[in-house]
């Protein structure tokens, strides 16, 4: 589809939706919900929403080690975050994305309405410093048309709110040379706020060749332009140099997990980049019933990655726009909210490959040789969406959604300047994804919900390439239907929250990454997969006394993920378990809070065995990891809020696979390297000082 046709498509959807909005509608100021939570754009009651929505609060984030969000995400039923290293992570939701080799894909991510997902569907979370986050919302499966109906789901990151100007410093030290330093400040007056956060993070790592060094600067803020309009912005600047210990074989995993493979150790392989994400959002209340929000955003990345087989240098620039129009009124006397909008993303990506001469000069690490390839790729993504939420009566809540999406790639070999090196173009056909959901209030504290939705995920650019570097025009997007039913309940004077969800997600045109060389994978559509599971969440709050509260919880997911129809060459894997996803995962813990400043949390994560290859001939062992953290907060000199913290990760020193490399292949006489070992027993401690003051700085009118 041409860019002109894409533009016409977006305009047509907007016009049709606006026509629908004005048909048989009476303007009314009735609000849809009483108690609202933020789920990105739509505000709705968690209890009444027609889908399973999981929240990670600022308090939940404060209970982590402060380095990365792994432990917080793994407490969400249906979500698995595998952490091979601080810079090698993979997030899966309900098994989607489990067979990705080194990164998170098929899941969309936003930070304050600014996309973190690039135009080919890859999301990077580890660059976002926890100190800047006020919470996360996780929407599972293709249940949200307004985000493009990705198969895995959506993760929404929210920046931290402030209610007073402050200056804060946090220092943290720990095992394996860990040092984290945060400097932040916030300024606020009646109409504006500004938050600045600088973070330095470094670690020697527990493995060979695993040094990590990152500096990040986050600046965000907003100002009230008029009584009805607001302008906000977010910016994230990152400088990273992280060495890569890579995966190891079974023998090393059992006996010497701290080693790196010989070729990665000798070449001292690493990745480094300078990266920026910028976003500007304008919101206006046109009147009591109409709201409009538009974001413009851009990203830049300049990266360099020496690997044993070559050296990759790449440069990415991108920009985009997201515009959303909301209207609240009555449809045949029923309070209704409509949302219509569009999202457009365009990226330009150029990469070069150089010979790595590390073997010719041992002891010097990677040495750049001659360039032997250079390719330019352009990626374009367009999404138009419509969503409706209606209160049929006091008990029944209905959601309807439609999304139309189009993705196109083109590329040109610019290493050879021959005239016949034409730019290759490929566009996936426009994808239509509907959704319907309903929630029924059985009683004041019990809600039954159900939904049927369709979603898709397009191949990444790497998956579309043939072994000779050409675009495989035969590939199709993965598509799937999701069927979901659940119940949300509160008991014991609303102190116990319980949620049970049953789902079935059926995928066709399954994308498979077939490994053809140590550094090369080829994507194929190999068949169908079935993702069935049950998710449970139990959270309880109780007061031991008028000064001590406890919050025990249990979350779990129990899965049956399998290939329905999967033929790869001469191999028939139909009926096998899905590679890369555990058959169960549950976490239990307790959080203790006191009125005198002391708090303590304790958690146990259990993960079932994970099939390592499509034939299911090997699986990682099930494991259990225990973490705990204690904090004490008090006031120093009547003005400075002080927090002391100390924690232990992997309390019982378990040897476990924190991440795996699906379908690893051993080349020559080498054993396949499936395993990324988890860190052994490690400790950390820190101190933070925060001074709050009345700001005299005028940030707005």
């Amino acid at each position: 589809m041409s860019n002109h046709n894409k533009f016409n498509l977006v305009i047509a959807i907007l016009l049709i939706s606006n026509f629908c909005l004005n048909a048989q509608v009476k303007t009314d100021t009735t609000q849809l919900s009483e108690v609202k939570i933020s789920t990105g754009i739509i505000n709705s009651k968690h209890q009444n929403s027609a889908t399973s929505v999981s929240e990670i609060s600022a308090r939940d984030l404060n209970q982590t080690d402060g380095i990365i969000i792994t432990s917080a995400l793994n407490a969400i039923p249906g979500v698995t975050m595998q952490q091979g290293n601080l810079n090698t992570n993979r997030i899966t939701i309900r098994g989607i994305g489990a067979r990705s080799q080194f990164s998170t894909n098929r899941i969309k991510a936003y930070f304050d309405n600014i996309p973190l997902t690039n135009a080919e569907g890859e999301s990077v979370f580890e660059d976002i410093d926890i100190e800047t986050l006020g919470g996360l919302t996780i929407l599972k499966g293709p249940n949200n048309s307004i985000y493009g109906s990705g198969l895995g789901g959506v993760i929404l990151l929210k920046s931290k709110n402030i209610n007073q100007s402050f200056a804060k410093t946090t220092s943290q030290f720990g095992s394996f040379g860990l040092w984290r330093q945060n400097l932040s400040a916030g300024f606020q007056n009646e109409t504006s706020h500004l938050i600045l956060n600088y973070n330095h993070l470094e670690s020697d790592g527990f493995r060979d060749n695993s040094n990590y060094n990152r500096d990040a600067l986050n600046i965000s803020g907003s100002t009230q332009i008029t009584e009805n309009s607001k302008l906000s912005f977010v910016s994230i600047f990152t400088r990273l140099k992280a060495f890569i210990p890579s995966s190891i074989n079974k023998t090393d995993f059992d006996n010497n997990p701290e080693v790196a493979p010989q070729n990665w150790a000798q070449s001292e392989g690493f990745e480094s980049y300078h990266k920026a994400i910028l976003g500007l959002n304008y919101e206006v209340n046109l009147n009591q019933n109409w709201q409009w929000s538009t974001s413009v955003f851009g990203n830049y990345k300049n990266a360099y990655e020496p690997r044993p087989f070559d050296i990759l240098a790449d440069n990415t620039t991108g920009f985009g726009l997201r515009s959303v129009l909301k209207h609240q009124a009555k449809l045949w006397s029923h309070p209704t909210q409509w949302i219509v909008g569009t999202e457009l993303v365009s990226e330009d990506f150029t990469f070069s490959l150089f010979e790595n001469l590390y073997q010719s000069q041992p002891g010097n690490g990677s040495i750049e040789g001659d360039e032997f390839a250079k390719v330019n790729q352009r990626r374009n993504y367009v999404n138009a969406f419509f969503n409706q939420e209606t209160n049929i009566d006091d008990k029944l809540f209905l959601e309807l959604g439609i999304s139309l999406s189009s993705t196109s790639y083109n590329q040109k070999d610019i290493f050879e300047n021959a005239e016949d090196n034409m730019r290759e173009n490929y566009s996936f056909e426009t994808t239509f994804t509907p959704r319907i959901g309903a929630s029924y209030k059985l009683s004041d504290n019990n809600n039954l919900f159900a939904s049927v939705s369709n979603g898709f995920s397009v191949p990444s650019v790497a998956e579309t390439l043939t072994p000779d570097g050409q675009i495989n025009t035969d590939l199709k997007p993965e598509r799937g239907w999701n069927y979901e039913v659940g119940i949300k309940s509160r008991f014991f004077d609303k102190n116990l929250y319980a949620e049970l969800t049953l789902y079935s997600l059926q995928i066709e045109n399954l994308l498979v990454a077939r490994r053809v060389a140590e550094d090369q994978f080829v994507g194929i559509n190999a068949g169908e997969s079935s993702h069935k599971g049950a998710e449970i969440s139990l959270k309880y709050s109780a007061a031991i006394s008028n000064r001590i509260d406890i919050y025990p919880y249990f979350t779990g997911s129990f899965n049956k993920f399998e290939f329905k129809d999967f033929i790869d060459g001469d191999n028939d894997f139909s009926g096998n378990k899905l590679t890369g996803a555990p058959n169960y995962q549950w976490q239990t813990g307790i959080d203790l809070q006191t009125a005198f400043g002391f708090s303590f949390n304790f958690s146990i994560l259990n993960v079932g065995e994970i099939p390592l290859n499509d034939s299911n001939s090997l699986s990682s062992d099930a494991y259990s990891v225990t973490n705990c953290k204690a904090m004490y907060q008090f006031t120093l000199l009547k003005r400075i809020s002080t927090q002391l913290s100390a924690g232990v990760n992997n309390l019982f020193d378990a040897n476990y696979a924190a991440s795996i490399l699906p379908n690893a292949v051993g080349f020559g006489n080498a054993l396949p390297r499936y395993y990324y070992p988890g860190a052994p027993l490690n400790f950390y401690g820190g101190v933070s000082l925060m001074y709050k003051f009345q700001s005299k700085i005028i940030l707005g009118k």
Side-chain angles (χ1 to χ4, degrees), residues 355-506:
E355 295 178 348
N356 193 336
L357 307 179
Y358 74 96
Q359 291 178 316
S360 64
Q361 301 182 45
N364 293 305
S366 292
I367 300 173
E368 184 179 306
D370 293 335
E371 183 181 28
F372 63 87
K374 188 173 185 179
V375 174
N376 173 259
Q377 298 173 347
R378 296 173 185 170
R379 313 160 179 167
N380 296 284
Y381 167 78
V382 179
N383 178 40
F385 51 85
F386 171 80
N387 199 77
Q388 175 181 316
E389 298 181 349
T390 301
N391 283 346
I392 303 299
D393 53 33
D394 292 339
K395 293 186 176 182
L396 182 60
F397 178 73
L398 182 66
E399 297 178 1
L400 301 170
I402 299 171
S403 175
L404 287 173
S405 301
S406 177
T407 302
S408 65
Y409 303 142
N410 66 62
Q411 91 170 23
K412 182 177 181 180
D413 184 346
I414 56 178
F415 180 69
E416 299 288 349
N417 293 318
E419 294 183 359
D420 59 349
N421 284 342
M422 302 296 292
R423 185 170 291 275
E424 294 182 90
N425 297 285
Y426 181 62
S427 296
F428 295 99
E429 62 183 27
T430 300
T431 306
F432 170 82
T433 51
R435 175 183 182 269
I436 183 171
S439 173
Y440 184 76
K441 183 182 291 187
L442 300 172
S443 65
D444 286 342
N445 296 317
N446 296 277
N447 286 72
L448 183 68
F449 67 93
S451 67
V452 178
S453 57
N454 184 253
F456 75 100
S457 291
V458 299
S460 67
V461 173
E463 288 173 324
T464 63
L465 298 182
T466 62
D468 58 358
Q470 304 301 308
I471 294 179
N472 178 7
T473 59
D474 294 329
L475 275 185
K476 299 178 181 179
E478 288 184 338
R479 297 205 60 168
W481 282 97
N482 181 68
Y483 308 91
E484 186 171 322
V485 63
I487 188 168
K488 305 172 186 178
S489 300
R490 294 187 183 274
F491 305 98
F492 308 119
D493 294 328
K494 298 185 179 182
N495 288 322
L496 173 64
Y497 176 76
E499 182 174 327
L500 173 65
T501 304
L502 306 175
Y503 68 89
S504 174
L505 177 57
Q506 304 300 309

Side-chain angles (χ1 to χ4, degrees), residues 221-223 230-234 279-283:
S222 69
T223 184
K230 182 176 74 171
L231 186 69
S232 58
F233 73 94
V234 60
L280 187 68
N281 179 255
Y282 176 71
E283 298 179 27

